Amino acid sequence: MAAVQEYDCIVIGAGVQGSFTAHQLAKNNKNTLLLEQFILPHTRGSSHGQTRIIRKAYEQNIYTHMMEECYKLWAQLETDAGVQLYRQTGLLLMGPQNNHSYKQFKKNLQNNKVPMVLLNNDIFSQQIPYMNLPDGYEALVDLTAGVLYADRAIKAVQEQFQKLGGVIRDKEMVTDIKPGPVVTVSTSACVYRTKSIVITAGPWANKLLTHTGLQLPLQVVKINVCYWKEKVPSLYSLKQGFPCFILTEGEDSNHDIYGLPSNEYPGLVKICYHMGKETDPDQRDKQTDRSDIDILQRFIRRCLPGLVPEPAVVESCMYTEGEHAHLYSMHVNESAQPQSE
C-alpha cells in the first residue's frame, strides 16, 4: 500500500458529472483527484457512447433556464480543447395536443424566449420528410438543440483537467470512506485524505454511501440503446439535416421516446425509450427485458417508415433515477449529512 496522499478535493466517478465537476474544481485552484473504478474509457456506466442530445426544451423550467449558461460552457470547452463537441441540428418535439408534458415543454421555451418554430401538419410533412406526425399530435422545433459528441467531450474535459494539474486514477475501486473533518478514502491501491469529497458514481452511488451511513432513494435501470437500419442510406442522417427528436409520452408509452440522426454507425439511427427496468449495476447484462423495444417497434412502424422495424444493434446504458438524483453532489462532513449543490 502506497503512502497516504492528500488533496483539497476528491471526486469519485469519472463519468460526465464527475469529470466536469473535477474540471471546475481545478479551474478554481483546488488540488483535485478524480477516481474511477474501471479502466478509462469504459462502457459500464451512463456516460459512454458517441452522441447525446443537447437542448433547451425541458419540461422543468429550471433546466431550460440553466441551459443558457451550459451552452456558453460547452463553447468555452470547445475553444480550450480545440475540438468540435457540438453540432446544431434542432430538436423536433412532438406530443398530443392536450398532453401536459408537451404543453410544459412549449411553455418553457416561450417563457425563456428560446428560438423555436411551430409546425402544423402541412409544414411538418415539408420540413420533416419520411416521418409521420401521429393524428392529434402537435410539433415544434427547438432551433438551438443539437448533438453532443459524448466520448469526445469526456476525453476533452479530462485532458483539460489534467492540464490544470488535476490527477486521474482509473482502475481504483473505492473500498472505504471515513467521514470526519478530514475525510479518508481508501481504494484498491492507495489511501487518500481530503477535506471535501464529491460522489458522482451514478449507479454505484448508494454502494459508496453505505460507508458514510447515508442512503438515497435511487433506482438503477438498464436502458436498451437501439440502432435502427435505414432502408435507404442517409435518409435520416446528419448530412440530410434530419434533427434530433423527442416524442412525449402518449397513448402508446408512459415515457418519452427520443432519437438522433444517423451518424455514429453509418446507416443506423439511434432511437431509445427513456426508461428501462431495474438492474444491479454489477450484473447489468443479466437483465434482458425487451418490453421497451416492443414500444419502439410500434412507434417506428407508425412514424418512421424509412427504417427497418427491428433493431440492428442494441447496446446498454444505465440511468440512476430518483428525485433530483442527477443533481446530487454529496459532501461528506463530520456529521455525514448530505448537501445538494
Side-chain angles (χ1 to χ4, degrees):
M1 182 71 71
V4 174
Q5 300 178 31
E6 296 189 356
Y7 291 88
D8 294 333
C9 188
I10 295 175
V11 180
I12 304 175
V16 63
Q17 300 282 5
S19 296
F20 278 83
T21 297
H23 179 235
Q24 289 297 318
L25 287 165
K27 286 181 73 172
N28 284 278
N29 299 313
K30 300 296 183 182
N31 181 23
T32 304
L33 171 66
L34 177 59
L35 290 171
E36 171 56 50
Q37 65 175 322
F38 301 114
I39 296 175
L40 292 171
H42 68 83
T43 60
R44 295 296 310 172
S46 307
S47 300
H48 58 279
Q50 294 185 39
T51 56
R52 295 291 192 279
I53 297 173
I54 182 171
R55 54 192 165 112
K56 292 183 179 179
Y58 279 95
E59 191 173 351
Q60 301 89 348
N61 185 64
I62 186 173
Y63 294 149
T64 303
H65 183 71
M66 285 168 58
M67 288 307 297
E68 188 68 31
E69 181 183 12
C70 288
Y71 273 83
K72 295 175 183 177
L73 292 172
W74 279 112
Q76 184 61 54
L77 179 59
E78 281 188 314
T79 300
D80 293 344
V83 177
Q84 183 184 10
L85 303 176
Y86 160 69
R87 179 163 176 173
Q88 188 172 359
T89 65
L91 173 79
L92 172 66
L93 181 69
M94 301 167 286
Q97 292 173 352
N98 297 318
N99 177 266
H100 173 77
S101 294
Y102 176 80
K103 289 194 292 186
Q104 197 62 44
F105 275 108
K106 183 178 176 181
K107 178 182 176 182
N108 289 338
L109 289 172
Q110 292 171 330
N111 288 347
N112 287 276
K113 296 180 171 55
V114 176
M116 59 178 284
V117 175
L118 300 175
L119 302 179
N120 60 34
N121 285 344
D122 292 336
I123 296 175
F124 185 95
S125 59
Q126 296 172 14
Q127 297 294 320
I128 318 290
Y130 314 115
M131 189 170 193
N132 301 324
L133 183 67
D135 292 338
Y137 277 57
E138 292 186 358
L140 61 83
V141 177
D142 169 2
L143 296 174
T144 68
V147 171
L148 282 177
Y149 297 113
D151 284 346
R152 195 185 300 177
I154 293 241
K155 182 175 183 291
V157 76
Q158 289 174 353
E159 289 176 349
Q160 293 304 304
F161 168 63
Q162 289 174 309
K163 286 181 180 179
L164 293 168
V167 177
I168 299 175
R169 298 275 170 79
D170 62 353
K171 204 180 178 182
E172 275 199 41
M173 180 179 289
V174 172
T175 56
D176 193 22
I177 301 172
K178 287 187 170 62
V182 175
V183 182
T184 301
V185 178
S186 300
T187 74
S188 53
C190 198
V191 175
Y192 306 97
R193 291 199 180 108
T194 182
K195 291 184 178 180
S196 182
I197 181 172
V198 184
I199 297 176
T200 53
W204 291 272
N206 270 337
K207 182 178 180 180
L208 287 169
L209 288 171
T210 299
H211 300 297
T212 72
L214 296 169
Q215 286 290 278
L216 294 174
L218 304 179
Q219 180 188 42
V220 179
V221 297
K222 176 186 172 183
I223 306 300
N224 288 314
V225 181
C226 300
Y227 296 83
W228 309 78
K229 185 176 181 179
E230 295 170 315
K231 294 177 181 178
V232 177
S234 298
L235 201 61
Y236 302 99
S237 69
L238 272 175
K239 292 180 180 179
Q240 292 298 321
F242 189 73
C244 300
F245 69 83
I246 293 176
L247 181 82
T248 65
E249 74 268 21
E251 59 187 45
D252 290 337
S253 62
N254 295 322
H255 300 278
D256 295 347
I257 293 171
Y258 67 92
L260 296 88
S262 61
N263 178 54
E264 47 205 288
Y265 295 127
L268 300 182
V269 180
K270 180 179 179 180
I271 301 175
C272 309
Y273 190 54
H274 200 43
M275 181 48 70
K277 295 294 184 180
E278 190 168 6
T279 191
D280 177 346
D282 293 315
Q283 304 290 330
R284 181 195 69 183
D285 295 335
K286 291 184 177 180
Q287 200 272 79
T288 58
D289 182 82
R290 286 176 55 95
S291 57
D292 55 340
I293 295 178
D294 296 337
I295 293 170
L296 294 173
Q297 287 178 311
R298 290 195 295 271
F299 164 70
I300 286 168
R301 289 191 183 99
R302 182 173 62 164
C303 297
L304 292 162
L307 295 179
V308 177
E310 180 67 34
V313 176
V314 180
E315 298 176 340
S316 297
C317 184
M318 288 186 289
Y319 290 175
T320 306
E321 295 288 324
E323 186 177 0
H324 305 306
H326 50 303
L327 294 180
Y328 275 114
S329 293
M330 301 305 301
H331 282 248
V332 183
N333 56 25
E334 186 173 9
S335 60
Q337 292 298 312
Q339 303 170 12
S340 60
E341 292 189 336

